[in-house]
Amino acid sequence: MARFPQIPPEAVLKEDLLRTGIAFDESALTDNLDGTVKPKSYFIFSFDQKPLAELGEAAKRRPPEEIALTGGPYELRRTIVSVRVNPDSPYRVARDADTGALRLTLESRDVADIALPPMPEYYRHTLANGKTVMETAPTIQWGYLIYLTVLRLCQYFGAHEECGFCDINHNWRQHKREGRPYTGIKPVEDVLEALALVDRYDTAKASKAYTLTGGSVTSTVDGLAEADFYGRYAQAIEERFPNRWIGKVVAQALPRADAQRFKDYGITIYHPNYEVWDKRLFSIISPGKERYVGREEWHHRILDAAEVFGPRYVIPNFVAGVEMAKPFGFATTDEAIASTTEGLDYFMGHGITPRFTTWCAEPTTPLGRDNPDGAPLEYHIRLLEAYREALERHGLKPPPGYGVAGAGNAVFSVSSFMDTLVPEDVPAEEAVPA
Ligand code: SF4
């Protein structure tokens, strides 16, 4: 924090928590769906730094989905952080035995007060077939985003195709093994029924967007290729709840005609994630994407999609930190930041605003296994700075569909890029749907 006074201290701490994970005292766990705190839904990847079988009590009583930091010695503005469990982390959340208040400590020193997300009313209701809303249509980002992982598996399969940082397929296996409800393909009717419960009980209208996502489809699922498989959910949602939420899809970079199909199905924002910029690292880290599409074609398709959706509504993600993963990654932070900035300039030069999530070194992935500590904190802080400078250089605003920017406002919980930007930069009409 002292070395980077131009970056909000909230963002520095948030990045460190995301890359390091948090140890949870039993007093800070939830009572799953029976309590007053919203539990972690495992909405797509595990986002834990130990396998479920090694989480102890946190495998039985889930940790909260997110935490909100405030106050403490740094007088933090409210900062929402996605929960990544790591029993070995120096960061610990526990309840003060005297006051009952939850505190975040770093090696036993006080860092922040902690608030937990309240159980949303819609989680207390189930679908007619007994499935839970938490499994079918969980919300994250403090209730802003409904996360619809409608396909829990990726057809990039095995070491030669799966992205090196991704545990989607492993996460599916571990939840099945533990006997947790975990649906491979979510029926459209289930999604609509769960959304009806969210719509009915989210009376404060905290939910503003939904994301349709899951694994890549290289052949077909339910007889449908990728654009139609994901698109049919959007079509059904938009027919039933027109303009209730901003519709987003995370999918492969598909040919222009398929991008148009997404748009025609009712999607507003398209995330054809490019994961890592560097050419050599892309082929190593995302071998399936390289094999089925290829890096240059992936990038061309992103530009094509910008003509379909408008450049501001194509928001490709990259996974911040993987370009420093051993043994193939950049050896220095300088090289990694220079490479990633080159990618930002490429897309921003076309009016496209990428965004990023902070890499969680999940232990069952090749990159997580070789890099249990993830990337250096300095890298993550310098990336926040580089990203903000690139936006300014290209005269762009933060991407739409992420709520209001700025420390104390941001709800995007898996990276602090939104916490780092200036609040006025996101006009209300782009932060919420019409
Ligand atoms: S495309 Fe890569 S990141 Fe996405 S689900 Fe498949 S393996 Fe994971």
Side-chain angles (χ1 to χ4, degrees), residues 276-295:
V276 62
W277 172 253
D278 180 74
K279 182 176 171 60
R280 179 182 63 91
L281 292 176
F282 180 83
S283 67
I284 295 170
I285 291 177
S286 289
K289 294 189 172 188
E290 177 69 23
R291 183 163 168 179
Y292 285 95
V293 181
R295 175 177 177 269

Side-chain angles (χ1 to χ4, degrees), residues 118-126 133 197-198 200-203:
M119 180 73 79
E121 181 58 30
Y122 46 80
Y123 272 20
R124 298 186 189 280
H125 301 264
T126 54
V133 173
L197 290 168
V198 175
R200 177 164 167 200
Y201 293 107
D202 175 24
T203 48

Side-chain angles (χ1 to χ4, degrees), residues 1-24:
M1 289 175 188
R3 277 182 58 206
F4 296 92
Q6 64 280 30
I7 298 295
E10 290 87 352
V12 173
L13 179 58
K14 181 165 166 176
E15 289 298 322
D16 210 20
L17 289 169
L18 289 171
R19 78 183 189 101
T20 308
I22 303 170
F24 277 81

Side-chain angles (χ1 to χ4, degrees), residues 34-365:
D34 300 322
T36 56
V37 172
K38 186 185 194 189
K40 176 164 170 158
S41 61
Y42 290 87
F43 56 89
I44 181 164
F45 311 123
S46 75
F47 286 126
D48 284 337
Q49 284 162 339
K50 293 272 186 259
L52 205 47
E54 293 173 30
L55 293 188
E57 186 69 9
K60 294 191 211 110
R61 291 170 52 218
R62 296 180 182 218
E65 183 78 84
E66 284 146 346
I67 56 175
L69 317 175
T70 52
Y74 307 103
E75 300 179 358
L76 301 174
R77 290 160 286 186
R78 193 184 80 146
T79 304
I80 311 297
V81 187
S82 188
V83 164
R84 298 172 171 186
V85 184
N86 178 4
D88 297 336
S89 173
Y91 288 103
R92 184 170 192 79
V93 176
R95 206 170 279 286
D96 185 292
D98 297 329
T99 65
L102 283 170
R103 306 281 302 157
L104 174 70
T105 55
L106 171 58
E107 292 168 339
S108 306
R109 279 180 300 140
D110 258 357
V111 176
D113 300 325
I114 296 288
L116 302 182
M119 180 73 79
E121 181 58 30
Y122 46 80
Y123 272 20
R124 298 186 189 280
H125 301 264
T126 54
L127 280 56
N129 59 16
K131 289 185 185 166
T132 65
V133 173
M134 179 176 76
E135 159 62 10
T136 313
T139 56
I140 58 172
Q141 299 173 19
W142 219 256
Y144 179 92
L145 180 68
I146 306 166
Y147 209 90
L148 302 171
T149 306
V150 292
L151 175 61
R152 291 284 210 175
L153 289 162
C154 183
Q155 290 186 344
Y156 294 160
F157 212 86
H160 298 297
E161 293 188 357
E162 286 171 6
C163 298
F165 52 82
C166 175
D167 75 352
I168 190 170
N169 290 330
H170 170 79
N171 197 32
W172 187 80
R173 284 190 293 271
Q174 74 168 353
H175 283 268
K176 286 303 217 194
R177 200 163 43 231
E178 298 291 322
R180 291 183 170 188
Y182 208 79
T183 315
I185 304 170
K186 293 181 182 170
V188 177
E189 311 74 54
D190 284 6
V191 170
L192 291 177
E193 195 180 338
L195 287 176
L197 290 168
V198 175
D199 185 46
R200 177 164 167 200
Y201 293 107
D202 175 24
T203 48
K205 297 262 188 288
S207 60
K208 308 282 189 216
Y210 65 84
T211 290
L212 284 164
T213 187
S216 293
V217 179
T218 55
S219 56
T220 57
V221 177
D222 284 352
L224 299 170
E226 185 160 309
D228 294 323
F229 173 73
Y230 287 115
R232 70 180 168 153
Y233 293 90
Q235 184 179 39
I237 293 168
E238 295 304 322
E239 270 172 21
R240 175 88 179 268
F241 310 97
N243 297 320
R244 168 65 180 85
W245 298 284
I246 305 172
K248 310 181 184 183
V249 68
V250 183
Q252 295 185 94
L254 296 175
R256 188 190 176 108
D258 285 335
Q260 184 65 53
R261 301 244 276 288
F262 279 144
K263 176 119 178 92
D264 295 343
Y265 280 127
I267 291 292
T268 301
I269 292 175
Y270 180 30
H271 299 281
N273 299 341
Y274 66 92
E275 317 297 10
V276 62
W277 172 253
D278 180 74
K279 182 176 171 60
R280 179 182 63 91
L281 292 176
F282 180 83
S283 67
I284 295 170
I285 291 177
S286 289
K289 294 189 172 188
E290 177 69 23
R291 183 163 168 179
Y292 285 95
V293 181
R295 175 177 177 269
E296 277 65 39
E297 178 64 14
W298 195 282
H299 295 169
H300 285 149
R301 290 180 181 184
I302 292 175
L303 302 189
D304 281 351
E307 292 178 13
V308 173
F309 285 87
R312 272 184 67 58
Y313 298 91
V314 177
I315 307 173
N317 190 65
F318 61 96
V319 184
V322 294
E323 66 270 50
M324 293 202 72
K326 295 182 181 71
F328 304 109
F330 293 113
T332 67
T333 299
D334 282 351
E335 290 168 287
I337 294 290
S339 168
T340 293
T341 302
E342 184 184 285
L344 291 175
D345 281 333
Y346 174 81
F347 290 115
M348 290 185 184
H350 291 90
I352 294 165
T353 317
R355 60 132 225 229
F356 52 98
T357 48
T358 299
W359 175 34
C360 176
E362 287 135 332
T364 55
T365 65

